[in-house]
């Protein structure tokens, strides 16, 4: 991550501001930065989305490939997460430098999506024990300006919303051998229901208060953060403390309450954007990185 | 199944282009705020991002520093979802290492490295969507990013590929045409002087035809140059307008 060096005075300025519910960029403690979301930006994926949250820039591509179901869940498909911290974000990620952070984020995503019902995995099954869809969710980190986890989870949800999996039929002949037939119509596809896909809200403890969507400067002032995954109904699917400091139990409950409230609002705002984009259909002018 | 017709009797290619026609080229400079320079380019369906950091102090072992010029460090990577079939790793495989080396060679020829002794310039390119001409898109994007970073160049570096089908030289090959396996050349050109920064020819080609292929690639490079130059001028105009007069 781009290294930020703050002097004591600068840190104090940020901490005192947070105490007064006024942050350096004029936001309150529970406000997100302006986010840009665009789906369907990479045409050779099953679904893709780009999210820009302040200076944090994330591109997610979902590819559906056929695989074999896992032994313990023979009638379900599964999701695979991979996070590429590209050298675009910072020269430190060159070569294998970004692998550690990438693995950490990918593991967090696995945990966030581990709760049953976040995605209907049964709909990804083609025929039990033999074939299922594997959704490869590949996250590409292009620029980091703080609050990676939230931006990534928003992008993943948007990309899953955008995902279209071709419909296939299983034909069985007299000898019992099975054949998979792909639908001729490219528009004949399965969409995922993303209503219960959680979003991550990271709450950073700064001084005696906590803020959401911390910038790099604010992250440098915060000793510990609590990462929670919230569904649109306000249910928590994952919780994790990150950062080198410690948190006391009381503040954890406070942060959870804030996280739920902010998370619900986030889901509503995101769903509204996604629906708007969807309603424009093919008439939408794709902006991508050119805008 | 009949082989795919790469050039119809009427002289059209599978995507409807004429032999010497380029794909639609769109570009933008200054995509990101944190790096010193950045650019994005679309050549048809091939999309590439390039960022430049530097010139800065040497990172890592100081012994690598060159006493008389700057070290150009390149990394080429492809997003795992960029290709038709999913890639397992974005960089570090043999093909991307080779690409990184090619980029390094190209930009060492173009950047005035002797102005920055003992320092380092990082160029990172990322293919977001691959549809043929990946190397060329990367070079063109990186040129814009280097210009955006304000690093002095001898000239623009413009790259394009060309191939040969039934005696006709095709410029700016798409993935379909590359995959057909005919002879193809990648050329990086410094258009004003006509110098070649990189030339690579794959598969067998008769010497007599080389001229035609190079001519097609060179023409395409000059066309790319015109577009890049327009993008740079527009970008600078916008910047100056923002600064006020």
């Amino acid at each position: 991550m781009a290294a930020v060096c703050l002097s004591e005075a600068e840190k104090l300025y940020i901490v005192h501001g947070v105490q007064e519910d006024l942050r350096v960029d004029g936001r309150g403690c529970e406000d997100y930065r302006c986010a840009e979301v665009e789906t369907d930006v990479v045409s050779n994926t099953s679904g893709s989305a780009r999210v820009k949250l302040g200076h944090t820039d994330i591109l997610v591509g979902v590819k559906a490939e056929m695989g074999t179901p896992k032994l313990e869940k023979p009638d379900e498909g599964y999701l695979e997460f991979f996070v590429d911290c590209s050298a675009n974000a910072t020269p430190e990620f060159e070569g294998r430098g970004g692998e550690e952070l990438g693995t950490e984020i990918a593991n967090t995503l696995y945990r966030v999506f581990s709760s049953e019902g976040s995605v209907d995995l049964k709909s990804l099954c083609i025929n039990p024990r033999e074939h299922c869809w594997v959704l490869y969710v590949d996250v590409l980190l292009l620029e980091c300006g703080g609050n990676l986890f939230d931006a990534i989870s928003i992008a993943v949800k948007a990309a899953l919303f955008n995902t279209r999996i071709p419909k296939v039929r299983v034909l069985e002949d007299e000898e019992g051998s099975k054949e998979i037939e792909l639908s001729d119509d490219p528009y004949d596809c399965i969409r995922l229901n993303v209503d219960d896909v959680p979003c991550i809200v990271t709450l950073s403890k700064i001084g005696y208060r906590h803020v959401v969507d911390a910038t790099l400067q604010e992250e440098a002032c915060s000793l510990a953060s609590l990462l929670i995954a919230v569904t649109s109904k306000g249910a928590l699917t994952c919780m994790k403390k990150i950062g080198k400091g410690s948190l006391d139990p009381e503040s954890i409950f406070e942060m959870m309450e804030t996280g739920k409230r902010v998370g619900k609002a986030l889901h509503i705002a995101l769903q509204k954007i996604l629906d708007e984009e969807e309603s424009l259909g093919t008439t939408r002018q794709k902006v991508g990185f050119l805008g | 199944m009949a082989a795919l017709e790469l050039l119809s009797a009427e002289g059209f290619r599978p995507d409807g282009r004429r032999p010497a026609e380029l794909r639609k080229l769109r570009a933008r400079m200054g995509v990101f705020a944190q790096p010193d320079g950045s650019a994005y380019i679309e050549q048809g369906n091939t999309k590439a991002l390039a960022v430049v950091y530097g010139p800065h102090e040497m990172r890592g072992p100081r012994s690598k520093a060159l006493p008389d010029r700057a070290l150009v460090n390149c990394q080429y990577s492809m997003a795992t979802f960029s290709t038709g079939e999913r890639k397992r790793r974005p960089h570090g495989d043999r093909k991307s290492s080779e690409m990184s080396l090619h980029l390094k060679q190209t930009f060492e020829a173009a950047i005035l490295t002797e102005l920055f002794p003992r320092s380092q310039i990082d160029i990172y390119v990322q293919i977001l969507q691959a549809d043929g001409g990946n190397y060329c898109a990367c070079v063109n994007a990186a040129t814009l990013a280097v210009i955006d970073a304000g690093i002095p160049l001898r000239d623009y570096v413009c790259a394009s590929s060309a191939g040969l089908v039934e005696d006709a030289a095709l410029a700016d090959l798409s993935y379909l045409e590359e995959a057909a396996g005919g002879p193809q050349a990648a050329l990086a050109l410094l258009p004003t002087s006509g110098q070649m920064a990189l030339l690579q020819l794959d598969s067998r080609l008769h010497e007599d035809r080389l001229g035609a292929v190079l001519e097609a690639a060179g023409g395409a490079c000059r066309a790319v140059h015109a577009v890049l130059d327009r993008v740079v001028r527009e970008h600078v105009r916008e910047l100056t307008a923002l600064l006020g007069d």
Side-chain angles (χ1 to χ4, degrees), chain A residues 6-290:
Chain A
L6 292 183
S7 65
E8 278 308 310
E10 282 172 300
K11 279 189 181 171
L12 210 62
Y13 181 73
I14 292 176
V15 173
H16 283 177
V18 168
Q19 229 67 281
E20 307 290 328
D21 197 20
L22 182 64
R23 292 155 72 178
V24 179
D25 43 12
R27 287 182 288 158
C29 283
E30 294 182 14
D31 296 338
Y32 265 85
R33 284 170 289 182
C34 190
E36 289 170 32
V37 181
E38 190 181 1
T39 56
D40 202 15
V41 279
V42 185
S43 52
N44 56 4
T45 55
S46 314
S48 61
R50 182 207 182 195
V51 167
K52 199 167 158 62
L53 185 66
H55 280 319
T56 305
D57 210 321
I58 309 286
L59 184 65
V60 173
V62 180
K63 264 189 186 298
E65 284 187 8
M66 218 173 266
T68 37
K70 292 190 170 160
L71 278 177
E72 62 273 20
K73 283 173 182 154
D75 57 346
E76 288 182 6
Y78 57 98
L79 273 71
E80 287 280 358
F81 293 97
F82 175 77
V83 180
D84 176 21
C85 297
S86 83
N88 278 36
T90 156
E92 284 148 45
F93 291 157
E94 197 190 329
R96 316 192 70 141
E99 264 175 31
E100 205 175 307
L101 181 67
T103 319
E104 187 196 338
I105 300 176
N107 284 343
T108 309
L109 286 174
Y110 275 116
R111 209 163 294 155
V112 166
F113 280 84
S114 65
S115 91
E116 263 173 50
S118 53
V119 179
D120 181 19
L121 295 174
K122 290 221 161 60
S123 66
L124 297 178
C125 182
I126 299 164
N127 67 42
R129 277 188 293 278
E130 280 167 36
H131 297 288
C132 70
W133 287 111
V134 184
L135 294 185
Y136 289 96
V137 182
D138 293 315
V139 179
L140 181 60
L141 184 62
L142 294 172
E143 195 178 22
C144 32
N147 204 15
L148 281 182
F149 287 94
D150 297 21
I152 288 176
S153 75
I154 295 172
V156 168
K157 180 167 175 172
L160 286 175
F161 175 81
N162 181 237
T163 300
R164 286 163 170 82
I165 305 164
K167 259 194 195 140
V168 289
R169 280 190 307 159
V170 182
L171 304 174
E172 202 168 342
D173 59 14
E174 301 89 64
E175 285 123 55
S177 65
K178 285 171 185 163
E179 205 168 279
I180 293 175
E181 191 190 62
L182 185 71
S183 167
D184 291 329
D185 179 10
Y187 293 101
D188 191 16
C189 48
I190 320 171
R191 298 284 301 269
L192 288 172
N193 182 2
V194 294
D195 288 345
D196 289 325
V197 171
C199 273
I200 299 176
V201 178
T202 313
L203 300 122
S204 308
K205 184 98 178 163
I206 297 179
Y208 297 109
R209 294 186 71 148
H210 46 260
V211 299
V212 299
D213 191 23
T215 59
L216 276 182
Q217 283 77 13
E218 286 166 333
E219 275 177 6
C221 296
S222 139
L223 281 175
S225 317
L226 189 71
L227 177 157
I228 59 176
V230 196
T231 66
S232 55
K233 299 184 184 82
L236 293 190
T237 64
C238 169
M239 182 159 80
K240 190 179 166 188
K241 195 229 100 190
I242 46 178
K244 51 188 185 292
S246 50
L247 293 170
D248 62 282
E250 263 167 55
S251 65
I252 286 184
F253 284 106
E254 268 173 40
M255 285 158 112
M256 268 167 56
E257 283 312 308
T258 319
K260 275 189 211 165
R261 196 165 56 238
V262 175
K264 270 189 191 168
L266 181 65
H267 275 289
I268 293 170
L270 178 61
Q271 198 58 50
K272 199 172 143 230
I273 298 175
L274 293 177
D275 288 338
E276 251 168 49
E277 239 186 22
E278 179 83 8
S279 65
L280 289 176
T282 49
T283 60
R284 176 169 68 98
Q285 199 75 41
K286 282 187 195 168
V287 186
F289 292 87
L290 288 168

Side-chain angles (χ1 to χ4, degrees), chain B residues 240-245:
Chain B
T240 42
L242 283 176
L243 287 171
D245 27 24

Side-chain angles (χ1 to χ4, degrees), chain A residues 42 44 59 84 88 140 142, chain B residues 40-41 45-50 75-83 87 90 99 124-139 141:
Chain A
V42 185
N44 56 4
L59 184 65
D84 176 21
N88 278 36
L140 181 60
L142 294 172
Chain B
Y40 169 74
I41 204 163
N45 278 326
T46 303
K47 297 173 184 171
L49 263 177
Q75 181 179 286
Y76 168 92
S77 55
M78 288 177 93
T80 41
F81 48 77
S82 62
T83 44
K87 275 175 74 78
M99 281 287 206
Y124 301 123
V125 290
Q126 180 98 43
I127 291 281
L128 302 179
Q129 191 174 329
D131 186 38
N134 295 348
Y135 166 77
C136 308
C138 284
V139 169

Side-chain angles (χ1 to χ4, degrees), chain B residues 168-190:
Chain B
L170 309 183
D172 193 19
L173 303 181
S174 69
Y175 177 73
L176 200 70
E177 290 158 340
E178 274 184 4
Q184 48 178 300
L187 173 70
L189 194 72
L190 306 177

Side-chain angles (χ1 to χ4, degrees), chain B residues 226-244:
Chain B
V227 179
L228 295 191
D229 191 53
R230 206 178 60 226
V231 170
V232 172
R233 281 176 201 281
E234 232 160 68
H235 180 71
V236 173
R237 205 171 300 132
E238 267 171 39
L239 279 189
T240 42
L242 283 176
L243 287 171

